[in-house]
Amino acid sequence: MHSIKELQQIIDKAVKEINYPATPNELYEPIAYLMALGGKRLRPALVLMATDLFGGDIEAAKPPALAIEMFHNFTLMHDDIMDNAPLRRGQPTVHEKWSDSVAILSGDVMFVKAYKLMIQVKPEILIPVLEVFNKTAIEVCEGQQIDMNFESRNEVSIDEYLEMIRLKTAVLVGGALKIGALIGNASAKNADLLYKFGENLGLAFQLQDDILDVFGDPEKFGKQVGGDIISNKKTYLLIKALELAKGNDLAKLNDWLSKKDFIAEEKVEAVSALYNQLNIRELSEEVMQSYAKVALDAFEQIDVDVENKKTLLNFAEMLVEREN
Amino acid sequence: MHSIKELQQIIDKAVKEINYPATPNELYEPIAYLMALGGKRLRPALVLMATDLFGGDIEAAKPPALAIEMFHNFTLMHDDIMDNAPLRRGQPTVHEKWSDSVAILSGDVMFVKAYKLMIQVKPEILIPVLEVFNKTAIEVCEGQQIDMNFESRNEVSIDEYLEMIRLKTAVLVGGALKIGALIGNASAKNADLLYKFGENLGLAFQLQDDILDVFGDPEKFGKQVGGDIISNKKTYLLIKALELAKGNDLAKLNDWLSKKDFIAEEKVEAVSALYNQLNIRELSEEVMQSYAKVALDAFEQIDVDVENKKTLLNFAEMLVEREN
């Protein structure tokens, strides 16, 4: 078995070794730029971890792992245009540094490159692998669309929110793991259990992200704490707070949500205080833990030597306990 | 053998039968809208024609033919954003009717749908089919990027122009035919010859498009004649004219190219007159015919009953002699 760190390093090295054509450079420079910005390489590492779990060949899992990383970065490139995001990992986004057109078209090429990498799996598993990948890709797009729709809606229910993050974030965790399982010749039952583990872990991961955005330690979090509060992002925390707040609290919360001019720190402080009063942190952590539990229950049922399970178990713990 | 019309009707019917999920409708309505705008369905019909040429199963060729049509419409949806195009087939473009974000994301979903349709080919040919498709998709994106680069460049050579239209337009004609050939169990040699036929026919097709844009009969052309002249589009005709014009003619041409304020009809008339003086129509038709000849020479070498070749031969003639 390989450690998480080892697997992340394998991915990092493989990402650096990808060759891009020289021309047209408006197409390939942005791809190389975004891929080099780093990130934790968690999704591709998951492909390798899943293959490793079933004693499969890590080498064979590298191209599809890179496919997952390429796909993930393609979605970031396009999402950043749609979200008007100026920065990605502290650096200018591709559409800012070049143009919207460049970001659209470079993204499209990344998507083809993802398929080119993905079809390098063994022919025997090509169709099931592509079926997982296609389904996942469509669901991620659906999740992004639903997320954008939320911005112009007044009310979003908890269930709608959870379905959105399932599509936008969690299915790719499940999909990466399932593809790795198929490469490792896992049985259909084990592959499905690993998907379930990933999907629920992905939900827990996103909920933890939402919690950290409000309650994270600014020193450790890596981005501005309170960003979601400042932008009125409809996260689990806000939706729950709107559900629970009554009378004066609800009026105060709605007042902050409707304010156009405000001092960011004041808004973050005031809304956080309301969250504290309503026990939002504990409630969010409870639901996050409940997803982590569903994930771990599915994982436990996977029929493979318990020794092999250590890396993914560590990984799951790391995700849920992380501070950034 | 089936006639072109029969095959186009098969495609039209199949396009109408595609089912789209109901939600999120911001994602699927634009796809259904663009796919229903029509068009000649030439590219998917080519897949069927190629399968038919080798006596293959037309039914089996339908999903990959739809994949080609879905891919083609995906590129139109994204290109229209980049080109700021208000209309597509006389109707508002998706980014105009909805938004840039919707057009980006719906396009992305169309691309996945193209892959979902494409992987329905027989498993034995899945890898070669996807290799052709991936290569074609990347080249089409490269062509679009090079085309956009031309807009901000002062000089473009004839060779650069021909390479751009090869990538942007011709390879998809070749790719559609080659995929159809693979479905029809063509030999590698025959499949490659058919690709060559398609690639060169595609070049002839685009050159004919450029010619019709200037010299087409307004009654038959279907769009505004002279659009390329009005927008200074660097087509074969303009590049050749700039190469051949001397002295006063060159000055006049450059003057029209640099004018910001002008009456469209006057510009079209004046530039067309210069083209006539320089024999641009004949020169363009010559080079167009030379590509058609390379295409037909490759086609002749394909080792299949001459009776089977009639439909594609008719098609080639139709493309080169068309008036719209």
Side-chain angles (χ1 to χ4, degrees), chain A residues 21 23-28 74 78-79 81-83 100-102 104-106 108-109 111-113 115-116 119 121-123 126-127 130-131 133-135 137-138 140-146 148-149, chain B residues 21 23-28 74 78-79 81-83 100-102 104-106 108-109 111-113 115-116 119 121-123 126-127 130-131 133-135 137-138 140-146 148-149:
Chain A
T23 58
N25 59 7
E26 295 82 359
L27 211 51
Y28 293 110
F74 143 73
H78 278 190
D79 286 3
I81 311 172
M82 301 181 232
D83 301 342
D100 281 10
S101 292
V102 161
I104 292 171
L105 204 55
S106 294
D108 292 344
V109 170
F111 200 7
V112 189
K113 286 210 164 276
Y115 277 101
K116 283 184 84 164
I119 68 169
V121 297
K122 285 173 298 185
L126 180 55
I127 292 172
L130 286 177
E131 281 171 349
F133 187 51
N134 288 338
K135 180 170 179 286
I138 284 189
V140 170
C141 292
E142 290 180 350
Q144 167 68 5
Q145 183 63 53
I146 296 170
M148 290 195 295
N149 291 348
Chain B
T23 59
N25 58 7
E26 295 82 0
L27 211 51
Y28 293 110
F74 144 72
H78 278 190
D79 286 3
I81 312 171
M82 301 182 232
D83 301 341
D100 281 10
S101 293
V102 161
I104 292 171
L105 205 54
S106 294
D108 292 345
V109 170
F111 201 6
V112 190
K113 286 210 164 274
Y115 277 101
K116 283 184 85 164
I119 68 169
V121 297
K122 287 173 296 187
L126 180 56
I127 292 172
L130 287 177
E131 281 170 350
F133 187 51
N134 289 338
K135 180 170 179 286
I138 284 190
V140 170
C141 292
E142 290 180 350
Q144 167 69 3
Q145 184 64 52
I146 296 170
M148 289 194 297
N149 291 348

Side-chain angles (χ1 to χ4, degrees), chain A residues 8-274:
Chain A
Q8 281 173 307
Q9 281 166 354
I10 290 175
I11 295 293
D12 247 341
K13 188 160 171 285
V15 168
K16 289 201 181 85
E17 284 167 3
I18 297 175
N19 273 319
Y20 302 99
T23 58
N25 59 7
E26 295 82 359
L27 211 51
Y28 293 110
E29 248 182 57
I31 301 177
Y33 168 79
L34 184 59
M35 289 297 283
L37 284 187
K40 304 192 194 90
R41 315 286 188 206
L42 293 181
R43 292 162 190 81
L46 282 169
V47 178
L48 303 190
M49 279 183 234
T51 301
D52 209 26
L53 174 68
F54 298 101
D57 176 11
I58 298 286
E59 267 310 302
K62 262 167 58 180
L66 287 177
I68 292 290
E69 184 66 1
M70 191 65 82
F71 170 76
H72 176 58
N73 279 275
F74 143 73
T75 65
L76 298 180
M77 203 187 272
H78 278 190
D79 286 3
D80 283 344
I81 311 172
M82 301 181 232
D83 301 342
N84 263 317
L87 295 175
R88 166 67 58 189
R89 293 173 183 138
Q91 300 295 319
T93 45
V94 167
H95 68 101
E96 277 285 322
K97 197 173 155 77
W98 284 272
S99 68
D100 281 10
S101 292
V102 161
I104 292 171
L105 204 55
S106 294
D108 292 344
V109 170
M110 291 180 97
F111 200 7
V112 189
K113 286 210 164 276
Y115 277 101
K116 283 184 84 164
L117 288 159
M118 196 59 91
I119 68 169
Q120 292 176 38
V121 297
K122 285 173 298 185
E124 309 91 85
I125 57 165
L126 180 55
I127 292 172
V129 163
L130 286 177
E131 281 171 349
V132 175
F133 187 51
N134 288 338
K135 180 170 179 286
T136 305
I138 284 189
E139 288 179 338
V140 170
C141 292
E142 290 180 350
Q144 167 68 5
Q145 183 63 53
I146 296 170
D147 194 16
M148 290 195 295
N149 291 348
F150 284 179
E151 282 171 36
S152 53
R153 281 176 52 183
N154 289 323
E155 282 192 39
V156 171
S157 73
I158 293 277
D159 282 352
E160 287 175 316
Y161 177 73
L162 292 171
E163 175 63 4
M164 184 278 284
I165 62 171
R166 187 185 74 80
L167 293 166
K168 185 167 173 171
T169 304
V171 297
L172 186 55
V173 178
L177 285 167
K178 186 163 180 180
I179 287 169
L182 292 169
I183 298 163
N185 294 320
S187 69
K189 194 183 164 199
N190 280 339
D192 287 339
L193 283 166
L194 196 59
Y195 182 89
K196 192 176 174 190
F197 164 74
E199 192 182 29
N200 284 281
L201 196 66
L203 283 160
F205 173 85
Q206 184 56 51
L207 288 164
Q208 177 71 337
D209 231 40
D210 294 353
I211 295 166
L212 286 173
D213 196 275
V214 176
F215 298 106
D217 180 340
E219 304 254 310
K220 294 175 186 161
F221 185 50
K223 34 184 184 179
Q224 182 187 27
V225 169
D228 288 349
I229 290 178
I230 293 166
S231 67
N232 288 348
K233 187 151 176 66
K234 294 184 185 73
T235 66
Y236 185 87
L237 286 73
L238 177 56
I239 300 168
K240 196 75 194 170
L242 284 166
E243 192 184 296
L244 295 178
K246 300 262 176 290
N248 196 29
D249 285 349
L250 183 58
K252 264 201 278 183
L253 185 53
N254 277 320
D255 188 40
W256 277 111
L257 290 175
S258 60
K259 265 200 179 106
K260 295 266 175 268
D261 288 313
F262 55 82
I263 295 163
E265 289 78 11
E266 281 182 13
K267 180 173 177 181
V268 173
E269 200 177 322
V271 175
S272 303
L274 280 166

Side-chain angles (χ1 to χ4, degrees), chain B residues 55-275:
Chain B
D57 177 11
I58 298 286
E59 267 310 303
K62 261 166 60 179
L66 288 177
I68 291 290
E69 183 68 0
M70 191 65 83
F71 170 76
H72 175 58
N73 280 274
F74 144 72
T75 65
L76 298 180
M77 203 187 272
H78 278 190
D79 286 3
D80 283 344
I81 312 171
M82 301 182 232
D83 301 341
N84 262 317
L87 295 175
R88 165 68 58 189
R89 295 174 182 138
Q91 300 295 319
T93 46
V94 167
H95 68 102
E96 277 285 322
K97 197 173 155 79
W98 284 272
S99 68
D100 281 10
S101 293
V102 161
I104 292 171
L105 205 54
S106 294
D108 292 345
V109 170
M110 289 180 97
F111 201 6
V112 190
K113 286 210 164 274
Y115 277 101
K116 283 184 85 164
L117 288 159
M118 195 60 90
I119 68 169
Q120 292 177 37
V121 297
K122 287 173 296 187
E124 309 91 84
I125 57 164
L126 180 56
I127 292 172
V129 163
L130 287 177
E131 281 170 350
V132 174
F133 187 51
N134 289 338
K135 180 170 179 286
T136 304
I138 284 190
E139 289 178 338
V140 170
C141 292
E142 290 180 350
Q144 167 69 3
Q145 184 64 52
I146 296 170
D147 194 18
M148 289 194 297
N149 291 348
F150 284 179
E151 282 172 35
S152 54
R153 280 176 53 183
N154 290 323
E155 283 192 37
V156 172
S157 73
I158 293 278
D159 281 353
E160 286 176 316
Y161 176 74
L162 292 171
E163 175 63 4
M164 183 279 283
I165 62 170
R166 188 184 74 81
L167 293 167
K168 186 167 172 170
T169 304
V171 298
L172 186 55
V173 178
L177 285 168
K178 186 165 179 177
I179 288 170
L182 292 168
I183 297 163
N185 295 318
S187 68
K189 195 183 163 201
N190 280 339
D192 287 338
L193 282 167
L194 196 60
Y195 183 89
K196 193 175 173 192
F197 164 74
E199 193 182 30
N200 284 281
L201 196 66
L203 283 159
F205 174 84
Q206 185 56 51
L207 287 164
Q208 177 71 336
D209 232 38
D210 294 353
I211 295 166
L212 286 173
D213 196 275
V214 176
F215 298 106
D217 179 341
E219 304 254 312
K220 296 175 185 162
F221 186 50
K223 29 183 188 180
Q224 182 187 27
V225 169
D228 288 349
I229 290 178
I230 295 168
S231 66
N232 288 348
K233 188 152 175 65
K234 293 184 186 76
T235 66
Y236 185 86
L237 286 72
L238 176 56
I239 300 168
K240 196 73 195 171
L242 284 166
E243 193 184 295
L244 295 178
K246 300 264 177 289
N248 195 30
D249 285 349
L250 183 59
K252 265 200 279 183
L253 186 52
N254 276 320
D255 188 41
W256 279 110
L257 292 174
S258 60
K259 268 202 178 99
K260 295 265 173 269
D261 287 313
F262 55 82
I263 296 163
E265 289 79 11
E266 281 182 16
K267 182 174 176 181
V268 173
E269 200 178 324
V271 175
S272 302
L274 280 166
Y275 284 178

